[in-house]
Amino acid sequence: MTTEKMNLIEKLYQTHDLSDDGFLCLLGGMTEAETQLLYEKARLAATKIYQKQIYLRGLIEFTNICKNNCFYCGIRRGNTNVHRYRLGEEEIVACAKKGYALGFRTIVLQGGEDPYYTDEQICSIVRKIKQECPDAAVTLSIGEKEHDSYQAYFDAGADRYLLRHETADEKHYGMLHPAELSGAHRKRCLRDLKEIGYQVGCGIMVGAPYQTREHILEDIRFMQELQPHMIGIGPFIPHKDTPFAKEPAGTLSDTLALLGILRLAFPNVLLPATTALGTIHPQGRELGVLAGANVIMPNLSPTSVRKDYMLYDGKICTGEEAAECHHCIERRMERIGYQVVVERGDYRE
Ligand code: SAM
Ligand code: FES
């Protein structure tokens, strides 16, 4: 029997858009048969453009020092239980080289908003990585900066920038962040980055405290306007030392459903099956790929600091070496019929 939601899934697959009511209907939950149809169509949409290829991004979490105090985040300024660390330029470049030797062709530098690193230092790190790993892309994920700083990193060779918008709704943004941060500024950063020429990634946490279906609809409308190259979504997971310690985590089914919906709405987008998804379910990342994701971001940080970059409780892969993570993902993808490739994995038009 064909249901209304099945018709909506087919329409989204064909046209990449729905009315507000159509999206809200799909976001309201699906039966098993509807869910399976969504995943099937999402896989079809992804493989039409990216075949059964999975791109890896090697993540270097180079500082857990942050001047911000986001209510959900384990490394927020106000958490005094964190052992803080910073990696030096040489250590960062060494991690990148190690990743390159393992076959990573994208290096992601992520960290808290740590004023210790000047623009010149970030530029120098980017330049060195580009020198050592010439055919690799460099992605930055270091938060909100001024236009000129973004321009300088780009001129130094940075290719991509990840900055989740967290929620497109200004009021909801205010419930997740202290008053000194604004959703409007975060959106402006994303527009600046796009205008400069970066491949840009935005995104949200699924099941973030106070999130409603209407918020997710607003997120989709914002993304339609921004036209990002990447969309990072993963479940919200509480961290014991944050104001949201007692809030429930986002669910596997909601995250997978949103991955499927986003793949149909943005067929060309690079869509990671995130570490947070792997944290709430042992096969979370495989299930993410089977719901339309095509990117995985294994950890390249030195094992000595991994446990200190604890954004949420229970984060996986904090004990493994980079090589182990790489092989583990390769095997996991092979088992579900996908292949990890040694490529930059740029956005395909
Ligand atoms: N400082 C940079 C920034 O603000 O974009 C990058 C680091 S920040 C920790 C990276 C992302 O982690 C955030 O955009 C947020 O969505 C995610 N994150 C933080 N706390 C989380 C939590 N408790 N559960 C799931 N994801 C979380
Ligand atoms: Fe800055 Fe989380 S509060 S990285």
Side-chain angles (χ1 to χ4, degrees):
M1 192 191 70
T2 307
T3 65
E4 184 197 352
K5 288 185 186 176
M6 288 178 176
N7 287 329
L8 288 170
I9 292 165
E10 185 60 42
K11 184 167 182 212
L12 188 56
Y13 174 69
Q14 298 290 346
T15 66
H16 316 305
D17 201 8
L18 292 177
S19 65
D20 287 359
D21 285 344
F23 274 121
L24 289 173
C25 179
L26 284 189
L27 291 167
M30 283 175 260
T31 64
E32 184 56 26
E34 290 159 350
T35 306
Q36 289 311 323
L37 177 72
L38 173 68
Y39 296 165
E40 195 185 304
K41 291 287 178 185
R43 287 197 294 274
L44 213 59
T47 48
K48 263 198 207 167
I49 296 161
Y50 294 104
Q51 293 80 48
K52 288 199 153 189
Q53 299 191 336
I54 300 298
Y55 303 124
L56 296 188
R57 308 337 193 171
L59 189 64
I60 305 176
E61 298 155 337
F62 68 98
T63 172
N64 71 349
I65 297 175
C66 190
K67 66 178 168 68
N68 293 335
N69 221 4
C70 306
F71 300 150
Y72 44 82
C73 185
I75 61 169
R76 64 201 299 269
R77 180 184 79 222
N79 184 2
T80 51
N81 291 330
V82 184
H83 171 255
R84 304 284 173 175
Y85 73 88
R86 288 186 177 112
L87 301 184
E89 178 165 322
E90 278 178 23
E91 237 175 327
I92 298 171
V93 177
C95 276
K97 279 172 75 175
K98 198 164 162 187
Y100 187 83
L102 286 169
F104 288 98
R105 292 296 176 269
T106 294
I107 303 296
V108 184
L109 299 179
Q110 191 183 79
E113 285 192 25
D114 182 355
Y116 169 85
Y117 297 90
T118 61
D119 286 350
E120 191 31 59
Q121 268 172 304
I122 298 290
C123 289
S124 165
I125 295 166
V126 170
R127 274 194 294 269
K128 289 226 169 84
I129 295 177
K130 295 294 277 195
Q131 254 165 31
E132 299 285 346
C133 319
D135 57 337
V138 172
T139 305
L140 294 176
S141 179
I142 53 175
E144 297 176 38
K145 307 272 178 183
E146 292 310 310
H147 180 282
D148 290 355
S149 303
Y150 287 148
Q151 184 70 57
Y153 313 149
F154 187 76
D155 294 341
D159 304 272
R160 309 185 186 135
Y161 205 102
L162 297 179
L163 185 74
R164 288 187 178 179
H165 64 288
E166 312 296 357
T167 171
D169 185 271
E170 199 61 42
K171 244 185 158 161
H172 186 216
Y173 197 91
M175 297 174 172
L176 303 178
H177 301 92
E180 65 264 23
L181 295 173
S182 87
H185 187 259
R186 207 152 172 101
K187 286 179 185 165
R188 208 197 74 206
C189 288
L190 281 162
R191 293 193 180 103
D192 284 350
L193 290 161
K194 190 103 198 279
E195 182 257 317
I196 290 169
Y198 284 95
Q199 289 183 45
V200 171
C202 64
I204 62 166
M205 294 180 289
V206 179
Y210 315 112
Q211 186 182 62
T212 64
R213 273 191 293 168
E214 286 74 16
H215 291 144
I216 299 181
L217 171 63
E218 265 187 76
D219 292 319
I220 294 174
R221 296 296 180 219
F222 168 69
M223 292 179 208
Q224 286 177 328
E225 181 208 317
L226 179 72
Q227 286 296 320
H229 305 90
M230 307 168 277
I231 302 176
I233 66 154
F236 159 74
I237 305 174
H239 184 292
K240 60 179 177 29
D241 299 321
T242 62
F244 289 157
K246 298 271 182 301
E247 296 290 334
T251 66
L252 178 72
S253 56
D254 284 353
T255 310
L256 295 176
L258 189 58
L259 280 172
I261 291 169
L262 291 174
R263 171 57 72 201
L264 296 187
F266 304 91
N268 304 67
V269 88
L270 291 152
L271 197 59
T274 56
T275 306
L277 187 55
T279 297
I280 59 164
H281 187 282
Q283 263 82 51
R285 287 168 298 178
E286 288 92 324
L287 295 169
V289 168
L290 294 171
N294 66 334
V295 169
I296 299 196
M297 303 175 66
N299 205 316
L300 276 182
S301 312
T303 26
S304 57
V305 300
R306 285 198 196 177
K307 284 199 169 60
D308 297 324
Y309 200 84
M310 220 29 114
L311 305 181
Y312 43 80
D313 292 335
K315 187 169 169 226
I316 54 166
C317 305
T318 53
E320 282 78 8
E321 288 290 340
E324 288 175 69
C325 284
H326 188 272
H327 294 139
C328 163
I329 295 297
E330 262 179 344
R331 275 198 311 274
R332 282 170 178 261
M333 291 301 114
E334 268 168 31
R335 258 185 252 138
I336 57 165
Y338 283 74
Q339 192 202 359
V340 164
V341 291
V342 179
E343 279 182 37
R344 277 171 54 117
D346 285 302
Y347 180 83
R348 292 196 189 158
E349 292 294 342

